Amino acid sequence: MPTRKINAFNADNTQESTACAYRDVTECPLCHYALEPKTLGAYYVAAERSHVHSALSVLEFCPRCRSVFVACYRSDDSMRTSSTADFGEPILCAPARAAIEKIPDGVRGISPDFAETYTQAHVAEATGLSSICGVGYRKALEFLVKDYLCSKAPQDAEQIKKEFLGASIKRIQDHRLKVLAERGTWIGNDEAHYVKKHTDLDLEQMKRFIRAMLNYIESELAFSAAEEILPR
């Protein structure tokens, strides 16, 4: 993100201003296109004695979707060493609209519950609910694994639905798909627990594994459809 400087009006007294440095937004939170926003104005909220953080709100305009949004920043005044308040990257942009990832139709047909849960987790993440979206992705992964296995072995569906996810993952015959599901579950479990076992893994890695699983399953469905086409 490029760094900018602006003289922001003090919220307590708009006759005064404060020099602020901040990293500009590079993607519109509403249309999700890259942009160099047009800055309309900024307001600075000074920290109080009982609170060391100051705040900066920058009003931005996206020329593409013609929307106005606010980029919010926070700074630790105890670390301030110059007359310019340094705010770094934005902690929140509002309003925001989630850029929904497309889920393959074949996967959606096998597991509509996965599609719905994954989308809700994605919306939660996009709106800043980072503490709960990981649990949502973990739940979506369980729907995906179990519904996929039920579609492969409908005679075992009742047992698959009742057993723990780990037992279901052991049923997956494709080694690559099994590894992706297993590792994704490890990360998802960490999102729901007080102490993390895999501190070197994060939510982005989990989503990467889930997307790879979607590609595998969609490829398998395409292959099955191709096999049904007989030579003429």
Side-chain angles (χ1 to χ4, degrees), residues 36-50:
E36 184 176 342
K38 178 181 178 181
T39 301
L40 304 179
Y43 285 86
Y44 170 84
V45 180
E48 297 179 348
R49 292 181 181 177
S50 59

Side-chain angles (χ1 to χ4, degrees), residues 14-64:
T14 56
Q15 301 302 313
E16 299 178 355
S17 63
T18 299
C20 301
Y22 64 99
R23 294 188 180 275
D24 211 352
V25 178
T26 57
E27 179 184 296
C28 175
L30 293 162
C31 69
H32 297 283
Y33 273 76
L35 85 159
E36 184 176 342
K38 178 181 178 181
T39 301
L40 304 179
Y43 285 86
Y44 170 84
V45 180
E48 297 179 348
R49 292 181 181 177
S50 59
H51 202 285
V52 298
H53 293 105
S54 56
L56 174 68
S57 297
V58 182
L59 193 63
E60 307 275 29
F61 174 69
C62 172
R64 184 184 182 278

Side-chain angles (χ1 to χ4, degrees), residues 156-175:
D156 298 326
E158 289 306 312
Q159 180 59 36
I160 292 170
K161 292 176 182 178
K162 295 176 183 178
E163 67 192 12
F164 290 117
L165 178 56
S168 295
I169 290 175
K170 290 179 180 178
R171 294 176 181 262
I172 300 176
Q173 296 182 0
D174 187 296
H175 175 69

